[in-house]
Amino acid sequence: NAGVTQTPKFQVLKTGQSMTLQCAQDMNHEYMSWYRQDPGMGLRLIHYSVGAGITDQGEVPNGYNVSRSTTEDFPLRLLSAAPSQTSVYFCASSYSTGSSSTDTQYFGPGTRLTVL
Amino acid sequence: QKEVEQDPGPLSVPEGAIVSLNCTYSNSAFQYFMWYRQYSRKGPELLMYTYSSGNKEDGRFTAQVDKSSKYISLFIRDSQPSDSATYLCAMSYDNYGQNFVFGPGTRLSVLP
């Protein structure tokens, strides 16, 4: 299993550009989520999905869109990039929405995004 | 006041030392507590998961929850250079992933 994969690893955008961060998992997990990680802030939830066709907003959804057309893929779209969106973005997946010692969120390696 | 606080470090210790990492929180409804380890340029991975108060041990790692003080700890015994990473605490009141609140992390360096 490849686990959770994210592309690209690094990206530089200019203000106003749009782009899509890709996330895929091959573990047949129902729950997927996107976080951003900023220094001193901890991981903050952007959007999440409890299954194909179902998405919802997290703590910091403004400026981002998601869709979940398949169980495997959960892309994150930046509509019009702003310098405040410079961050490291992590995608995560788990079998269910809950967590336990054996069912936890698996995180991808992250995408480092810089917006100039 | 942030909902979950951690000393950001960096914390440097010699190999073999006992390490104590801590988080404080303000929401008394939290009852699910987790510790994640994050190596540089990698995603977090779950290290310990506990429910409610008490201790949980797994090898060299012990997680401790004191709900009365709103304080959780992660102890690492016989620390190794491979333990050098950032340690994030996370907690939730209902165990649903979308409600996890993460601390900012403590960076640990174990020196050989």
Side-chain angles (χ1 to χ4, degrees):
Chain A
N1 285 352
V4 180
T5 58
Q6 291 184 238
T7 55
K9 286 188 169 54
F10 302 93
Q11 184 70 49
V12 178
L13 292 178
K14 294 181 179 176
T15 297
Q17 286 184 314
S18 62
M19 79 159 294
T20 299
L21 279 62
Q22 301 292 344
C23 174
Q25 51 89 11
D26 61 358
M27 298 174 282
N28 202 31
H29 284 170
E30 290 295 324
Y31 181 79
M32 296 186 75
S33 55
W34 276 103
Y35 290 90
R36 59 178 290 172
Q37 186 175 37
D38 302 292
M41 296 290 291
L43 289 163
R44 290 183 293 167
L45 183 66
I46 303 171
H47 285 284
Y48 66 96
S49 168
V50 299
I54 307 169
T55 63
D56 207 343
Q57 296 181 350
E59 180 187 355
V60 289
N62 291 344
Y64 309 94
N65 271 358
V66 291
S67 59
R68 183 99 179 267
S69 56
T70 67
T71 299
E72 295 78 20
D73 300 297
F74 191 42
L76 177 73
R77 279 182 287 278
L78 278 70
L79 309 172
S80 177
S84 60
Q85 294 178 305
T86 294
S87 188
V88 182
Y89 291 85
F90 289 100
C91 178
S93 75
S94 60
Y95 182 72
S96 68
T97 59
S99 187
S100 70
S101 298
T102 53
D103 178 25
T104 181
Q105 293 196 74
Y106 292 88
F107 284 83
T111 294
R112 278 162 177 75
L113 176 69
T114 300
V115 182
L116 303 175
Chain B
Q1 182 191 7
K2 290 182 183 175
E3 208 165 7
V4 178
E5 305 218 36
Q6 274 185 271
D7 186 331
L11 177 63
S12 292
V13 301
E15 183 175 355
I18 296 175
V19 176
S20 171
L21 303 166
N22 311 297
C23 283
T24 58
Y25 62 94
S26 56
N27 188 342
S28 58
F30 288 149
Q31 50 183 346
Y32 299 89
F33 303 92
M34 288 142 281
W35 284 96
Y36 286 81
R37 178 175 61 196
Q38 184 177 19
Y39 290 116
S40 181
R41 306 273 179 178
K42 302 288 186 186
E45 56 180 339
L46 184 70
L47 205 54
M48 299 288 280
Y49 171 92
T50 54
Y51 169 71
S52 195
S53 285
N55 292 0
K56 184 173 182 179
E57 191 172 320
D58 184 2
R60 296 184 295 111
F61 299 89
T62 300
Q64 196 172 75
V65 175
D66 182 350
K67 290 183 67 181
S68 61
S69 301
K70 300 195 190 71
Y71 189 88
I72 69 171
S73 300
L74 177 71
F75 298 97
I76 307 174
R77 290 184 299 280
D78 187 26
S79 56
Q80 303 295 310
S82 59
D83 295 326
S84 297
T86 296
Y87 290 80
L88 312 172
C89 63
M91 46 199 80
S92 168
Y93 60 88
D94 63 0
N95 200 33
Y96 287 111
Q98 60 266 34
N99 294 322
F100 289 179
V101 179
F102 285 83
T106 297
R107 191 152 58 92
L108 171 68
S109 291
V110 181
L111 307 174

